[in-house]
Coordinates of all heavy atoms in Angstrom, one line a residue:
M84 N 143.2 120.9 100.9 CA 142.0 121.2 100.2 C 141.3 122.3 101.1 O 141.1 122.2 102.3 CB 141.2 120.0 100.1 CG 139.9 120.2 99.3 SD 138.9 118.7 99.2 CE 139.4 118.1 97.7
A85 N 140.8 123.3 100.4 CA 140.1 124.4 101.1 C 138.7 123.9 101.5 O 138.1 123.0 101.0 CB 139.9 125.6 100.2
D86 N 138.2 124.6 102.5 CA 136.8 124.3 103.0 C 135.8 124.6 101.8 O 136.0 125.5 101.0 CB 136.4 125.2 104.2 CG 137.0 124.7 105.5 OD1 137.4 123.6 105.5 OD2 137.1 125.5 106.4
M87 N 134.8 123.8 101.8 CA 133.8 124.0 100.8 C 133.0 125.3 101.1 O 132.9 125.7 102.2 CB 132.8 122.8 100.8 CG 133.4 121.6 100.3 SD 132.3 120.2 99.9 CE 130.9 120.4 100.8
S88 N 132.6 125.9 100.1 CA 131.8 127.1 100.2 C 130.5 126.8 101.0 O 130.0 125.7 101.0 CB 131.3 127.5 98.8 OG 130.1 128.2 98.8
P89 N 130.1 127.8 101.8 CA 128.9 127.6 102.6 C 127.7 127.1 101.8 O 126.8 126.4 102.3 CB 128.6 129.0 103.3 CG 129.9 129.7 103.2 CD 130.7 129.1 102.0
M90 N 127.6 127.5 100.6 CA 126.5 127.1 99.7 C 126.4 125.6 99.6 O 125.4 125.0 99.4 CB 126.7 127.8 98.3 CG 125.5 127.7 97.5 SD 125.7 128.8 96.1 CE 126.0 127.6 94.8
F91 N 127.6 124.9 99.6 CA 127.6 123.5 99.4 C 127.8 122.7 100.7 O 127.8 121.5 100.7 CB 128.8 123.1 98.5 CG 128.6 123.7 97.1 CD1 129.3 124.8 96.7 CD2 127.6 123.2 96.3 CE1 129.1 125.3 95.4 CE2 127.4 123.7 95.0 CZ 128.2 124.8 94.6
R92 N 127.8 123.4 101.8 CA 127.9 122.7 103.1 C 126.6 121.9 103.4 O 125.5 122.4 103.1 CB 128.2 123.6 104.2 CG 129.6 124.0 104.3 CD 130.0 124.6 105.7 NE 131.3 125.1 105.5 CZ 131.6 126.4 105.7 NH1 130.7 127.2 106.1 NH2 132.9 126.8 105.6
R93 N 126.8 120.8 104.0 CA 125.6 120.0 104.4 C 124.8 120.8 105.5 O 125.3 121.4 106.4 CB 126.1 118.7 105.0 CG 125.1 117.6 105.0 CD 125.6 116.4 105.7 NE 126.9 115.9 105.2 CZ 127.4 114.8 105.6 NH1 126.9 114.1 106.6 NH2 128.6 114.4 105.1
K94 N 123.5 120.7 105.3 CA 122.6 121.3 106.3 C 122.4 120.3 107.4 O 122.3 119.1 107.2 CB 121.3 121.7 105.7 CG 121.2 122.9 104.9 CD 119.8 123.2 104.5 CE 119.6 124.5 103.8 NZ 118.2 124.8 103.5
D95 N 122.2 120.8 108.7 CA 121.8 119.9 109.7 C 120.4 119.5 109.5 O 119.6 120.4 109.0 CB 121.9 120.6 111.1 CG 123.4 120.8 111.5 OD1 124.2 119.9 111.1 OD2 123.6 121.8 112.2
P96 N 120.0 118.3 109.8 CA 118.6 117.9 109.6 C 117.6 118.8 110.2 O 116.5 119.1 109.6 CB 118.5 116.5 110.2 CG 119.9 115.9 110.0 CD 120.8 117.1 110.3
Q97 N 117.9 119.4 111.4 CA 117.0 120.2 112.1 C 116.7 121.5 111.3 O 115.8 122.3 111.6 CB 117.5 120.6 113.5 CG 117.7 119.4 114.4 CD 119.1 118.8 114.2 OE1 119.7 118.8 113.2 NE2 119.6 118.2 115.3
D98 N 117.6 121.9 110.4 CA 117.5 123.1 109.6 C 116.7 122.8 108.3 O 116.6 123.7 107.5 CB 118.9 123.7 109.3 CG 119.6 124.1 110.5 OD1 118.9 124.5 111.5 OD2 120.8 124.1 110.5
R99 N 116.3 121.6 108.1 CA 115.6 121.3 106.8 C 114.1 121.4 107.1 O 113.6 121.6 108.3 CB 115.8 119.8 106.4 CG 117.3 119.4 106.4 CD 118.2 120.1 105.5 NE 117.9 120.1 104.1 CZ 118.4 119.2 103.3 NH1 119.3 118.3 103.6 NH2 118.1 119.2 102.0
L100 N 113.3 121.4 106.1 CA 111.8 121.4 106.2 C 111.2 120.5 105.2 O 111.5 120.6 104.0 CB 111.2 122.8 106.1 CG 109.7 122.9 106.1 CD1 109.2 122.4 107.5 CD2 109.2 124.3 105.8
V101 N 110.4 119.5 105.7 CA 109.7 118.6 104.8 C 108.2 119.1 104.7 O 107.6 119.4 105.8 CB 109.8 117.2 105.3 CG1 108.9 116.3 104.4 CG2 111.2 116.7 105.2
T102 N 107.7 119.2 103.5 CA 106.3 119.5 103.3 C 105.6 118.4 102.6 O 106.0 118.0 101.6 CB 106.2 120.8 102.5 OG1 106.9 121.9 103.1 CG2 104.7 121.2 102.3
L103 N 104.5 117.9 103.2 CA 103.7 116.9 102.6 C 102.4 117.6 102.0 O 101.7 118.2 102.8 CB 103.3 115.8 103.6 CG 102.2 114.8 103.1 CD1 102.8 114.0 102.0 CD2 101.8 113.9 104.3
I104 N 102.2 117.5 100.7 CA 101.0 118.1 100.1 C 100.1 116.9 99.9 O 100.4 115.9 99.2 CB 101.4 118.8 98.8 CG1 102.4 119.9 99.0 CG2 100.2 119.3 98.1 CD1 103.0 120.5 97.8
R105 N 98.9 117.0 100.4 CA 98.0 115.9 100.4 C 96.5 116.4 100.2 O 96.3 117.6 100.2 CB 98.1 115.1 101.7 CG 97.9 115.9 103.0 CD 97.8 115.0 104.2 NE 96.6 114.1 104.0 CZ 96.6 112.9 104.6 NH1 97.5 112.5 105.3 NH2 95.5 112.1 104.3
K106 N 95.6 115.5 100.2 CA 94.2 115.8 100.2 C 93.5 114.8 101.1 O 94.0 113.7 101.4 CB 93.6 115.8 98.8 CG 93.4 114.4 98.2 CD 92.7 114.4 96.9 CE 92.4 113.0 96.4 NZ 91.6 112.9 95.2
P107 N 92.3 115.3 101.6 CA 91.5 114.4 102.5 C 91.1 113.1 101.8 O 90.8 113.1 100.6 CB 90.3 115.2 102.9 CG 90.7 116.7 102.6 CD 91.7 116.6 101.5
G108 N 91.0 112.0 102.6 CA 90.5 110.8 102.0 C 91.4 110.1 101.0 O 91.0 109.2 100.3
C109 N 92.7 110.4 101.0 CA 93.7 109.8 100.1 C 94.5 108.8 100.8 O 95.3 109.1 101.7 CB 94.5 111.0 99.5 SG 96.0 110.5 98.7
H110 N 94.4 107.5 100.5 CA 95.1 106.5 101.2 C 96.6 106.6 100.9 O 97.4 106.3 101.8 CB 94.6 105.1 100.9 CG 94.9 104.6 99.5 ND1 94.2 104.9 98.4 CD2 95.9 103.7 99.1 CE1 94.7 104.3 97.3 NE2 95.7 103.6 97.7
L111 N 97.0 107.0 99.7 CA 98.4 107.1 99.4 C 99.0 108.3 100.2 O 100.2 108.2 100.7 CB 98.7 107.4 97.9 CG 98.6 106.3 96.9 CD1 98.8 106.8 95.5 CD2 99.6 105.2 97.3
C112 N 98.2 109.3 100.5 CA 98.6 110.4 101.3 C 98.8 109.9 102.8 O 99.8 110.4 103.4 CB 97.6 111.5 101.3 SG 97.3 112.2 99.7
D113 N 97.9 109.1 103.3 CA 98.1 108.5 104.6 C 99.4 107.7 104.7 O 100.1 107.8 105.7 CB 96.9 107.6 105.0 CG 95.6 108.4 105.1 OD1 95.6 109.7 105.3 OD2 94.5 107.8 105.0
D114 N 99.7 106.9 103.7 CA 100.9 106.1 103.7 C 102.1 107.0 103.7 O 103.1 106.8 104.4 CB 101.0 105.2 102.4 CG 99.9 104.1 102.4 OD1 99.3 103.9 103.5 OD2 99.7 103.5 101.4
A115 N 102.1 108.1 102.8 CA 103.2 109.0 102.7 C 103.4 109.7 104.1 O 104.5 109.9 104.5 CB 102.9 110.1 101.7
Q116 N 102.3 110.1 104.8 CA 102.4 110.8 106.0 C 103.1 109.9 107.1 O 103.9 110.4 107.9 CB 101.0 111.2 106.5 CG 101.2 112.0 107.8 CD 99.9 112.7 108.3 OE1 99.0 113.0 107.4 NE2 99.7 112.9 109.5
Q117 N 102.8 108.6 107.1 CA 103.4 107.7 108.0 C 105.0 107.7 107.8 O 105.7 107.7 108.7 CB 102.9 106.3 107.9 CG 101.5 106.1 108.4 CD 101.0 104.7 108.3 OE1 101.4 103.9 107.5 NE2 100.0 104.4 109.1
V118 N 105.4 107.7 106.5 CA 106.8 107.7 106.2 C 107.5 109.0 106.6 O 108.5 109.0 107.3 CB 107.1 107.4 104.7 CG1 108.6 107.5 104.4 CG2 106.6 106.0 104.4
V119 N 106.8 110.1 106.3 CA 107.3 111.4 106.7 C 107.4 111.5 108.2 O 108.5 112.0 108.7 CB 106.5 112.5 106.1 CG1 106.8 113.9 106.6 CG2 106.6 112.5 104.5
E120 N 106.4 111.1 108.9 CA 106.4 111.2 110.4 C 107.6 110.4 110.9 O 108.3 110.9 111.8 CB 105.1 110.7 110.9 CG 104.0 111.7 110.8 CD 102.6 111.2 111.4 OE1 102.5 110.0 111.6 OE2 101.7 112.0 111.6
K121 N 107.8 109.2 110.4 CA 108.8 108.3 111.0 C 110.2 108.9 110.7 O 111.0 109.1 111.6 CB 108.7 106.9 110.3 CG 109.8 106.0 110.8 CD 109.6 104.6 110.2 CE 110.5 103.5 110.8 NZ 111.8 103.9 111.1
V122 N 110.5 109.2 109.4 CA 111.8 109.7 109.1 C 112.1 111.1 109.8 O 113.2 111.2 110.4 CB 111.9 109.9 107.5 CG1 113.2 110.5 107.2 CG2 111.9 108.5 106.9
C123 N 111.2 112.0 109.7 CA 111.4 113.3 110.3 C 111.5 113.2 111.9 O 112.3 113.8 112.5 CB 110.3 114.2 110.0 SG 110.3 114.7 108.2
G124 N 110.7 112.3 112.4 CA 110.8 112.0 113.9 C 112.2 111.5 114.3 O 112.8 111.9 115.2
D125 N 112.6 110.5 113.5 CA 114.0 109.9 113.7 C 115.1 110.9 113.7 O 116.0 110.9 114.4 CB 114.3 108.8 112.7 CG 113.4 107.5 113.0 OD1 112.7 107.4 114.0 OD2 113.4 106.6 112.1
L126 N 115.0 111.8 112.7 CA 116.1 112.8 112.4 C 115.9 114.1 113.1 O 116.8 115.0 113.0 CB 116.2 113.0 110.9 CG 116.5 111.7 110.1 CD1 116.5 112.0 108.6 CD2 117.9 111.1 110.5
G127 N 114.8 114.4 113.7 CA 114.5 115.7 114.3 C 114.3 116.8 113.2 O 114.5 117.9 113.5
V128 N 113.7 116.4 112.1 CA 113.4 117.3 111.0 C 112.0 117.8 111.2 O 111.0 117.0 111.3 CB 113.6 116.7 109.6 CG1 113.2 117.6 108.5 CG2 115.0 116.2 109.4
P129 N 111.8 119.2 111.1 CA 110.4 119.7 111.2 C 109.7 119.4 109.9 O 110.3 119.3 108.8 CB 110.6 121.2 111.4 CG 112.0 121.5 110.9 CD 112.8 120.2 111.1
W130 N 108.4 119.1 110.0 CA 107.6 118.9 108.8 C 106.2 119.5 108.9 O 105.8 119.8 110.0 CB 107.5 117.4 108.4 CG 106.7 116.6 109.4 CD1 107.0 116.1 110.6 CD2 105.3 116.2 109.1 NE1 105.9 115.4 111.1 CE2 104.9 115.5 110.2 CE3 104.4 116.4 108.1 CZ2 103.6 114.9 110.4 CZ3 103.1 115.8 108.2 CH2 102.8 115.1 109.3
E131 N 105.6 119.7 107.8 CA 104.3 120.3 107.8 C 103.5 119.6 106.7 O 104.0 119.0 105.8 CB 104.4 121.8 107.4 CG 104.9 122.1 106.0 CD 105.1 123.6 105.7 OE1 104.8 124.4 106.6 OE2 105.6 123.9 104.6
Q132 N 102.2 119.8 106.8 CA 101.3 119.3 105.7 C 100.4 120.4 105.2 O 100.1 121.3 105.9 CB 100.5 118.1 106.1 CG 99.6 118.3 107.3 CD 98.9 117.0 107.6 OE1 98.6 116.1 106.8 NE2 98.6 116.8 108.9
K133 N 100.2 120.3 103.9 CA 99.3 121.3 103.2 C 98.2 120.5 102.5 O 98.5 119.5 101.8 CB 100.1 122.2 102.3 CG 101.1 123.0 103.0 CD 101.7 124.0 102.1 CE 102.7 124.9 102.9 NZ 103.3 125.9 102.1
D134 N 97.0 121.0 102.6 CA 95.8 120.4 101.9 C 95.7 121.0 100.5 O 95.4 122.2 100.4 CB 94.6 120.7 102.8 CG 93.3 120.0 102.2 OD1 93.3 119.7 101.0 OD2 92.4 119.8 103.0
I135 N 95.8 120.2 99.5 CA 95.8 120.7 98.1 C 94.4 121.2 97.8 O 94.3 122.1 96.9 CB 96.2 119.5 97.2 CG1 96.6 120.1 95.8 CG2 95.1 118.5 97.0 CD1 97.4 119.1 95.0
T136 N 93.4 120.8 98.5 CA 92.0 121.3 98.2 C 91.8 122.7 98.7 O 90.8 123.4 98.4 CB 90.9 120.4 98.8 OG1 91.0 120.4 100.2 CG2 91.1 119.0 98.2
E137 N 92.8 123.2 99.6 CA 92.6 124.6 100.1 C 93.6 125.6 99.6 O 93.7 126.7 100.0 CB 92.8 124.5 101.7 CG 91.7 123.7 102.3 CD 92.0 123.5 103.8 OE1 93.0 124.0 104.3 OE2 91.1 122.9 104.5
D138 N 94.3 125.2 98.5 CA 95.4 126.1 98.0 C 95.3 125.9 96.4 O 95.8 124.9 95.9 CB 96.7 125.7 98.5 CG 97.8 126.7 98.1 OD1 97.9 127.0 96.9 OD2 98.6 127.1 99.0
E139 N 94.8 126.9 95.8 CA 94.7 126.9 94.3 C 96.0 126.7 93.6 O 96.1 125.9 92.6 CB 93.9 128.1 93.8 CG 93.6 128.1 92.3 CD 92.6 126.9 92.0 OE1 91.7 126.6 92.8 OE2 92.8 126.4 90.9
A140 N 97.0 127.4 94.0 CA 98.3 127.2 93.4 C 98.9 125.8 93.5 O 99.4 125.2 92.5 CB 99.3 128.3 93.9
L141 N 98.8 125.2 94.7 CA 99.3 123.9 94.9 C 98.4 122.9 94.0 O 98.9 122.0 93.5 CB 99.2 123.5 96.4 CG 100.2 124.1 97.3 CD1 99.9 123.7 98.7 CD2 101.6 123.9 96.9
H142 N 97.1 123.2 94.0 CA 96.2 122.3 93.2 C 96.6 122.3 91.7 O 96.7 121.3 91.1 CB 94.7 122.9 93.4 CG 93.7 122.0 92.8 ND1 93.4 122.0 91.5 CD2 93.0 121.0 93.3 CE1 92.4 121.1 91.2 NE2 92.2 120.5 92.3
R143 N 96.8 123.5 91.2 CA 97.2 123.6 89.8 C 98.5 122.9 89.5 O 98.7 122.2 88.5 CB 97.4 125.1 89.4 CG 96.1 125.7 88.9 CD 96.4 127.0 88.2 NE 97.2 127.9 89.0 CZ 96.8 128.8 89.9 NH1 95.6 128.9 90.2 NH2 97.7 129.6 90.5
E144 N 99.5 123.0 90.4 CA 100.8 122.4 90.2 C 100.9 120.9 90.4 O 101.6 120.2 89.7 CB 101.9 123.2 91.1 CG 103.3 122.8 90.7 CD 104.3 123.7 91.3 OE1 103.9 124.8 91.8 OE2 105.5 123.4 91.2
Y145 N 100.2 120.5 91.4 CA 100.5 119.1 91.9 C 99.3 118.1 91.9 O 99.4 117.0 92.3 CB 101.0 119.1 93.4 CG 102.3 119.8 93.5 CD1 102.4 121.0 94.3 CD2 103.5 119.4 92.9 CE1 103.6 121.6 94.5 CE2 104.7 120.0 93.1 CZ 104.8 121.1 93.8 OH 106.0 121.8 94.0
W146 N 98.1 118.6 91.4 CA 96.9 117.8 91.5 C 97.1 116.3 91.0 O 96.6 115.4 91.7 CB 95.7 118.4 90.8 CG 94.5 117.6 90.9 CD1 93.9 116.9 89.9 CD2 93.7 117.4 92.1 NE1 92.8 116.2 90.4 CE2 92.7 116.5 91.8 CE3 93.9 117.8 93.4 CZ2 91.7 116.1 92.7 CZ3 92.9 117.4 94.3 CH2 91.9 116.6 94.0
E147 N 97.8 116.1 89.9 CA 97.9 114.7 89.4 C 99.0 113.9 90.0 O 99.2 112.8 89.7 CB 98.1 114.8 87.9 CG 96.9 115.3 87.2 CD 97.0 115.3 85.7 OE1 98.0 114.9 85.1 OE2 96.0 115.8 85.0
Q148 N 99.7 114.5 91.0 CA 100.9 113.9 91.6 C 100.7 113.5 93.0 O 101.5 112.8 93.6 CB 102.1 114.7 91.4 CG 102.5 115.0 90.0 CD 103.7 115.9 89.9 OE1 104.0 116.7 90.7 NE2 104.4 115.8 88.8
I149 N 99.7 114.0 93.7 CA 99.6 113.9 95.1 C 99.6 112.4 95.6 O 99.1 111.6 94.9 CB 98.4 114.6 95.8 CG1 97.1 114.2 95.2 CG2 98.6 116.1 95.6 CD1 96.0 114.6 96.0
P150 N 100.1 112.1 96.7 CA 100.8 113.0 97.6 C 102.2 113.5 97.0 O 102.9 112.7 96.4 CB 101.0 112.2 98.9 CG 101.1 110.8 98.4 CD 100.2 110.7 97.3
V151 N 102.6 114.7 97.4 CA 103.9 115.2 96.9 C 104.7 115.6 98.2 O 104.1 116.1 99.1 CB 103.7 116.5 96.1 CG1 105.0 117.1 95.7 CG2 102.9 116.1 94.8
V152 N 105.9 115.2 98.2 CA 106.8 115.6 99.3 C 107.9 116.6 98.8 O 108.5 116.4 97.8 CB 107.5 114.4 99.9 CG1 108.5 114.8 101.0 CG2 106.5 113.4 100.5
L153 N 107.9 117.7 99.5 CA 108.9 118.7 99.2 C 110.0 118.7 100.3 O 109.6 118.5 101.5 CB 108.3 120.1 99.1 CG 107.1 120.4 98.3 CD1 106.6 121.8 98.4 CD2 107.3 120.0 96.8
V154 N 111.2 118.9 99.9 CA 112.3 119.1 100.9 C 112.9 120.5 100.7 O 113.3 120.8 99.6 CB 113.4 118.0 100.8 CG1 114.6 118.3 101.7 CG2 112.8 116.6 101.1
D155 N 112.8 121.3 101.7 CA 113.2 122.7 101.6 C 112.6 123.4 100.4 O 113.2 124.2 99.7 CB 114.8 122.8 101.5 CG 115.4 122.2 102.7 OD1 114.8 122.3 103.8 OD2 116.5 121.7 102.6
G156 N 111.3 123.1 100.1 CA 110.6 123.8 99.1 C 110.8 123.2 97.7 O 110.1 123.6 96.7
A157 N 111.6 122.2 97.5 CA 111.9 121.6 96.2 C 111.2 120.2 96.2 O 111.3 119.5 97.2 CB 113.4 121.5 95.9
Q158 N 110.6 119.8 95.1 CA 110.0 118.5 95.0 C 111.0 117.4 95.2 O 112.0 117.3 94.5 CB 109.2 118.4 93.7 CG 108.4 117.1 93.6 CD 107.4 117.1 92.5 OE1 107.1 118.1 91.8 NE2 107.0 115.9 92.1
H159 N 110.7 116.5 96.1 CA 111.5 115.4 96.4 C 110.9 114.1 95.7 O 111.6 113.4 95.0 CB 111.6 115.1 97.9 CG 112.2 113.8 98.3 ND1 113.6 113.5 98.1 CD2 111.7 112.7 98.8 CE1 113.8 112.3 98.5 NE2 112.7 111.8 98.9
T160 N 109.6 113.9 95.9 CA 109.0 112.8 95.3 C 107.5 113.0 95.2 O 107.0 113.9 95.8 CB 109.3 111.5 96.1 OG1 109.0 110.3 95.4 CG2 108.6 111.5 97.4
F161 N 106.8 112.0 94.6 CA 105.3 112.0 94.6 C 104.8 110.6 94.5 O 105.6 109.7 94.3 CB 104.8 112.9 93.4 CG 105.1 112.4 92.1 CD1 104.3 111.6 91.3 CD2 106.4 112.8 91.5 CE1 104.6 111.2 90.1 CE2 106.7 112.3 90.2 CZ 105.8 111.5 89.5
W162 N 103.5 110.5 94.8 CA 102.8 109.2 94.9 C 103.3 108.3 96.0 O 102.6 108.2 97.0 CB 102.8 108.4 93.6 CG 102.0 109.1 92.5 CD1 101.1 110.0 92.6 CD2 102.2 108.9 91.1 NE1 100.6 110.4 91.4 CE2 101.2 109.7 90.4 CE3 103.0 108.1 90.3 CZ2 101.1 109.7 89.1 CZ3 102.9 108.1 89.0 CH2 101.9 108.9 88.3
R163 N 104.5 107.7 95.9 CA 105.0 106.8 97.0 C 106.3 107.4 97.5 O 107.1 107.8 96.8 CB 105.2 105.4 96.4 CG 103.9 104.8 95.9 CD 103.9 103.3 96.2 NE 102.6 102.8 95.6 CZ 101.5 102.5 96.4 NH1 101.5 102.8 97.6 NH2 100.5 102.0 95.8
V164 N 106.4 107.4 98.8 CA 107.5 108.0 99.5 C 108.4 106.8 100.0 O 108.0 105.9 100.7 CB 107.2 108.8 100.7 CG1 108.4 109.5 101.3 CG2 106.2 109.9 100.3
D165 N 109.7 106.8 99.5 CA 110.6 105.8 99.9 C 111.4 106.2 101.1 O 112.0 107.3 101.1 CB 111.6 105.5 98.7 CG 112.6 104.4 99.1 OD1 112.3 103.2 98.9 OD2 113.7 104.8 99.6
E166 N 111.2 105.5 102.2 CA 111.8 105.9 103.5 C 113.3 106.1 103.4 O 113.8 107.2 103.9 CB 111.5 104.8 104.5 CG 112.1 105.2 105.9 CD 111.8 104.2 107.0 OE1 110.8 103.4 106.8 OE2 112.5 104.1 107.9
E167 N 114.1 105.2 102.8 CA 115.5 105.4 102.7 C 115.9 106.6 101.8 O 116.9 107.3 102.1 CB 116.2 104.1 102.2 CG 116.2 103.0 103.3 CD 116.8 103.5 104.6 OE1 117.9 104.1 104.7 OE2 116.1 103.3 105.6
R168 N 115.2 106.8 100.7 CA 115.5 107.9 99.8 C 115.3 109.2 100.6 O 116.1 110.1 100.5 CB 114.7 107.8 98.6 CG 115.0 108.8 97.6 CD 114.4 108.5 96.2 NE 114.6 109.7 95.3 CZ 113.8 110.6 95.1 NH1 112.6 110.6 95.6 NH2 114.1 111.6 94.3
L169 N 114.2 109.3 101.3 CA 113.9 110.6 102.0 C 115.0 110.8 103.1 O 115.5 111.9 103.3 CB 112.5 110.5 102.6 CG 112.1 111.7 103.5 CD1 112.2 113.0 102.6 CD2 110.7 111.5 104.0
R170 N 115.3 109.7 103.8 CA 116.3 109.8 104.9 C 117.7 110.3 104.3 O 118.3 111.2 104.9 CB 116.5 108.4 105.5 CG 117.3 108.4 106.8 CD 117.3 107.0 107.4 NE 116.0 106.5 107.8 CZ 115.4 106.8 108.9 NH1 115.9 107.6 109.8 NH2 114.2 106.3 109.1
K171 N 118.1 109.7 103.2 CA 119.3 110.2 102.5 C 119.3 111.6 102.1 O 120.2 112.4 102.3 CB 119.6 109.3 101.3 CG 120.2 107.9 101.7 CD 120.4 107.1 100.4 CE 120.8 105.7 100.8 NZ 120.9 104.8 99.7
A172 N 118.1 112.1 101.6 CA 118.0 113.4 101.1 C 118.1 114.4 102.3 O 118.6 115.5 102.1 CB 116.6 113.6 100.4
L173 N 117.7 114.0 103.5 CA 117.7 114.9 104.6 C 119.0 114.8 105.4 O 119.3 115.7 106.3 CB 116.6 114.5 105.6 CG 115.2 114.8 105.0 CD1 114.1 114.1 106.0 CD2 114.9 116.2 104.8
T174 N 119.9 113.9 105.1 CA 121.2 113.8 105.8 C 122.4 114.0 105.0 O 123.5 113.9 105.4 CB 121.3 112.4 106.5 OG1 121.1 111.4 105.5 CG2 120.2 112.2 107.6
R175 N 122.2 114.4 103.7 CA 123.4 114.7 102.9 C 123.7 116.2 102.8 O 122.9 117.0 103.2 CB 123.3 114.2 101.5 CG 122.2 114.6 100.6 CD 122.4 114.1 99.2 NE 121.2 113.3 98.8 CZ 120.4 113.7 97.8 NH1 120.7 114.8 97.2 NH2 119.4 113.0 97.5

């Protein structure tokens, strides 16, 4: 069997990026951040957070879904972050 195309090769976790879109004073956002910090810390995945109240485009797109977690710029989940699901998304 031939090697898979580079497009379909698994990325190393360190080459991924998780983005947490949140707003101040949001308890679900705090819960999501704890999961993101744990999973990304365990796997060595870089992550960032963005404040939806400071970005009009994010506000328009995600206001009713926050917190939102993106993996490599694509929406992974919203509201509640499942630790195992995020871990699997980052290691496949």
Side-chain angles (χ1 to χ4, degrees):
M84 182 184 265
D86 282 342
M87 290 193 337
S88 150
M90 192 169 105
F91 295 108
R92 280 199 192 119
R93 198 186 307 185
K94 282 186 174 183
D95 289 330
Q97 302 87 329
D98 296 333
R99 313 302 296 267
L100 176 63
V101 173
T102 304
L103 172 62
I104 301 170
R105 58 169 301 151
K106 72 174 183 176
C109 165
H110 73 278
L111 284 179
C112 300
D113 295 338
D114 294 346
Q116 182 170 333
Q117 287 182 338
V118 174
V119 168
E120 284 178 343
K121 180 179 190 319
V122 172
C123 290
D125 289 350
L126 299 175
V128 174
W130 72 279
E131 64 184 359
Q132 59 181 329
K133 295 188 177 180
D134 183 340
I135 199 167
T136 65
E137 296 176 359
D138 186 312
E139 187 60 37
L141 292 177
H142 188 276
R143 274 194 309 273
E144 189 165 352
Y145 297 117
W146 180 250
E147 294 183 3
Q148 298 179 335
I149 60 165
V151 175
V152 175
L153 309 179
V154 173
D155 299 330
Q158 187 169 340
H159 168 73
T160 194
F161 62 96
W162 293 339
R163 300 216 180 261
V164 183
D165 180 87
E166 181 179 336
E167 286 309 309
R168 184 169 175 260
L169 180 57
R170 191 174 299 277
K171 284 179 185 170
L173 293 171
T174 56
R175 62 172 122 115

